[in-house]
Amino acid sequence: MANFTRLHEDLNKYAVARNVPVWVGGKKVIADRVVKTACPHNCYDTCGVLAYIKDEKVIKLEGDPDHPITRGHLCVKGYANVQKINSPDRVKYPLIRVGERGEGKFRRATWDEALDYIVDKLKDIRSRYGGEAFSEYCYSGNREHMAKTVSGRFLNLFGASKLVGSFCLLSGAAGSYYSVGDQHTMMPEVWSEKTEMIFLVGRNPSFTNPHIYPFLYKAMERGAKLVVVDPYVTAVASKADLHLQPRPGTDVVLALGMMNYIISHDMHNKEFIAKYTHGFEDLLEEVKTMPVEKAAELTGIEAEKIIQAAQWYATLNTQTECGYGHQRYSNGHQAQRAYACLAAICGHIGKETGNYNYIDQMGFPALPGFMQAGKVMNPEGADIPKTRLINIATFATAIQEAAAQGKPIKGVISYRGGLVSQQPEVAYTLEALKTLDLFVTIEQFMTDDTDWADVVLPGCHYLEQYGLHPSYWHHYLQVLVPVCQPYYEAVPDIEIWAELGRRMGWEEYFPKETTGLDYIKTLIGENCNVDEAVSPKGPLRLPENWCPRVPYADLKFATPSGKIELYSIGMEERGKKFPGDFKAVPYHLEPEESPLSTPELYKKYPLTLISQHPAFRTHSQYYNLPWIREIEGPAKIYISREDAAKAGVKEGDKVRVFNDRGELKGIYAKPSIRVKSGTAELSSGMWVKLGANVNVLSSRSIGGPRDVGAGIMEEYHPLLDGNTTAYFNTLVQIEKM
């Protein structure tokens, strides 16, 4: 093949300003240009960013003061991207494995050699096993959507198995969709002005959504109450008027108990229920089974606190802000249904004074049609075969099952996701990887994945490539542009996939000069003026028809009944077609591992292990940076003082954390009031080879509503089938080392 070269553009066209003086490290430097972009690293805020460039190097990052939500402020991770993009430890050029898988031994290769190696392997796999023997593995390391449509074009032309599903939120999205239909969020600039109470569920904004705080405080300064539901004492919980700490996995119980009190004390909104909901009598039968006293017993929350929360919720104009923490169990879909029903029976939907927020449809813009993914993924004139689907929540299981069926998966290209570190039960995942003929990673650093790869390709930082990443919380879009030329031999993701396509013989479908911005305009150009969201312009307020200022204000809902479905007709119908938990009214389903569902296992492993998103990392990203390691320190497990005393563990002791799936050694113990007795917390995302990855211990069980089995499917719909990885269905024990 001819020598592979990166596309080259004059990036000065994206400059907000040129030759700008800026202070860096105590010295005044003249930056060649300043460029607007946005952070796509998978948190609610999607911050507006100003990047300062000198000699094609990023020398400073600041928040964009023109962004209406993030208003010029970045989190620690955002600022640390200066260290990340400039790190001397970046993967600088292609690598080909020379040792055994897992040893992490490689030799340097040219791009042509690496790409030809991959293509030869892919052609061999397809000739021997068929196109479905290949799949990508991709998630939210860079949660940008455009490149995923370009990889999708390659996969479709190849006839590959297609990746579907989620780890973290689709159980809740399904539960929410079955309740209210289309998914929208009301902007904080609206509810902060008028709401009387914020009901914050399963969300730690200090770590994942810090730009909510100015709006939160604005509401509280007016006198609005703050009620937080979280098993863990978070920073925002410490500011709450009322903190409800449920036993992990019992959110449905709490919501039903609150509804029981509200209805039995005639505090529900009868007029709203009669006009705008369906199935109240069916819901009522379930609610009757959960009086406050029983809810208190099952959740571990004092009855008085449940009553206080219910009284405030029913009598005050309430804004319900849901996160994704309660989706990490097998019952996350029912938990979200329960919270939607709670909002509905009190009439807190469709109003400026209080609405119901789970996720905005811009979190998955292809589903409602805002992003017309088919235009890129299914090029005109191409013969695209129908192929099997692989659910990402059961990826390793699917590899094993496919082999057992005689239709193996033999090749995987992994990018924008840590396959080894983020899949549950790490040992099981590694056994699955050993069965592959080809495992390729596109990476910025030598991670857990790269150690097991046959080929490592140097991937670009988000600042070095185009991207489309609408927020799933607010309604502003800043298109990501390359602020500088890629460092070393790194190549943008879309160019890697396009060049692989050309080398497969599909030159007509991967034009050499097509840029990421061209693809973005194809995807969303019919629905907004893309140029207005591209530096030096932006951010752009997304159109009202896609992101209404006050969602559900017309009180018409995209459900089978056209109303809020307390009894879900949609779930009932889907349950006739597929196995799973499609019960039409929300009810409590005990997690697959818990004190009640597995009492014998609980005797052996008496702690439920939950894992927060850490403040200074995005899943497995950032911990290798000096700034972050200095701030975060070594891995720590938080346990109650009562449980610590039982185990003979004191502050700073090193402990072993273990269950039947694996063990972690040398974790620092933190006896604390942050968790209740019976619960332990170890933050997610640490690399396996650094010795503290929580997924060494986590369960491979999944959340509903659909039971996806081993994860090999012919049909799937994210909002009808949902499903997540039930990471928190995990019991462990600790002992002092």
Side-chain angles (χ1 to χ4, degrees), residues 19-20 22 24 28-34 51-60 86 483-484 487:
N19 300 319
V20 179
V22 59
V24 180
K28 183 179 286 188
V29 180
I30 304 300
D32 297 331
R33 62 178 176 270
V34 183
Y52 292 79
I53 314 303
K54 186 171 181 63
D55 299 329
E56 292 308 320
K57 301 292 183 184
V58 177
I59 60 172
K60 188 173 186 176
N86 289 295
V483 305
C484 61
Y487 287 28

Side-chain angles (χ1 to χ4, degrees), residues 66-175:
D66 295 332
H67 195 289
I69 300 297
T70 62
R71 300 178 179 180
H73 301 284
L74 301 179
C75 72
V76 172
K77 299 186 294 288
Y79 290 115
N81 276 297
V82 170
Q83 276 201 334
K84 190 178 184 188
I85 193 172
N86 289 295
S87 173
D89 297 328
R90 282 186 62 174
V91 178
K92 300 177 177 64
Y93 35 73
L95 301 168
I96 293 178
R97 177 171 60 85
V98 294
E100 296 296 320
R101 278 202 182 133
E103 289 185 334
K105 295 181 179 179
F106 299 90
R107 65 172 177 84
R108 181 173 180 173
T110 66
W111 268 99
D112 287 301
E113 182 183 11
L115 292 170
D116 285 342
Y117 179 98
I118 295 168
V119 169
D120 288 345
K121 283 282 190 179
L122 288 177
K123 288 180 176 178
D124 179 64
I125 288 170
R126 190 168 63 164
S127 69
R128 289 197 290 151
Y129 304 104
E132 289 185 328
F134 170 62
S135 175
E136 72 174 352
Y137 180 90
C138 178
Y139 203 59
S140 61
N142 176 350
R143 205 176 179 275
E144 181 275 318
H145 296 273
M146 177 270 300
K148 298 174 186 178
T149 65
V150 180
S151 71
R153 174 176 289 202
F154 181 95
L155 294 163
N156 282 345
L157 291 167
F158 192 92
S161 297
K162 298 179 180 65
L163 199 64
V164 297
S166 82
F167 292 131
C168 56
L169 61 84
L170 281 181
S171 282

Side-chain angles (χ1 to χ4, degrees), residues 237-353:
S238 72
K239 304 293 184 184
D241 295 281
L242 182 62
H243 178 202
L244 305 176
Q245 277 184 276
R247 175 172 64 86
T250 60
D251 284 78
V252 178
V253 175
L254 171 62
L256 290 174
M258 289 176 63
M259 284 189 273
N260 183 293
Y261 184 87
I262 289 166
I263 294 169
S264 64
H265 287 75
D266 201 30
M267 301 166 73
H268 51 306
N269 190 326
K270 301 182 193 64
E271 182 180 358
F272 187 93
I273 291 169
K275 287 184 178 180
Y276 305 117
T277 73
H278 168 78
F280 176 72
E281 293 302 323
D282 297 287
L283 174 66
L284 182 59
E285 290 305 306
E286 189 66 39
V287 167
K288 287 178 179 178
T289 69
M290 196 59 67
V292 169
E293 294 75 17
K294 182 178 178 181
E297 179 183 355
L298 288 173
T299 62
I301 302 170
E302 297 90 333
E304 295 76 13
K305 289 185 176 181
I306 297 175
I307 291 169
Q308 180 66 83
Q311 289 174 337
W312 284 348
Y313 195 98
T315 59
L316 300 175
N317 290 312
T318 299
Q319 172 68 20
T320 302
E321 286 281 328
C322 295
Y324 312 134
H326 49 292
Q327 304 310 309
R328 271 66 169 183
Y329 307 96
S330 41
N331 61 8
H333 58 297
Q334 296 291 5
Q336 200 55 50
R337 286 267 295 129
Y339 285 127
C341 292
L342 174 62
I345 68 161
C346 296
H348 299 325
I349 295 181
K351 301 173 182 177
E352 288 188 348
T353 54

Side-chain angles (χ1 to χ4, degrees), residues 16 72 137 160 186 346 370 387 413 435 439 455 528 639 665 671 707 723:
V16 174
Y137 180 90
M186 189 163 76
C346 296
F370 174 78
T387 60
I413 296 181
T435 69
F439 181 44
V455 181
C528 69
I639 55 176
K665 293 182 176 181
D707 180 357
N723 97 273

Side-chain angles (χ1 to χ4, degrees), residues 422-485:
Q422 300 305 298
Q423 283 285 317
E425 195 173 349
V426 170
Y428 185 89
T429 299
L430 294 179
E431 289 303 311
L433 289 185
K434 293 175 184 177
T435 69
L436 300 178
D437 289 351
L438 176 69
F439 181 44
V440 178
T441 65
I442 303 171
E443 258 295 359
Q444 297 171 39
F445 297 95
M446 297 302 287
T447 64
D448 293 319
D449 277 15
T450 63
D451 287 351
W452 291 86
D454 300 298
V455 181
V456 180
L457 300 178
C460 280
H461 190 280
Y462 85 82
L463 293 167
E464 299 166 323
Q465 54 188 330
Y466 289 100
L468 171 63
H469 180 54
S471 170
Y472 45 79
W473 173 55
H474 64 68
H475 299 162
Y476 294 91
L477 173 65
Q478 180 75 57
V479 167
L480 283 69
V481 298
V483 305
C484 61
Q485 301 298 336

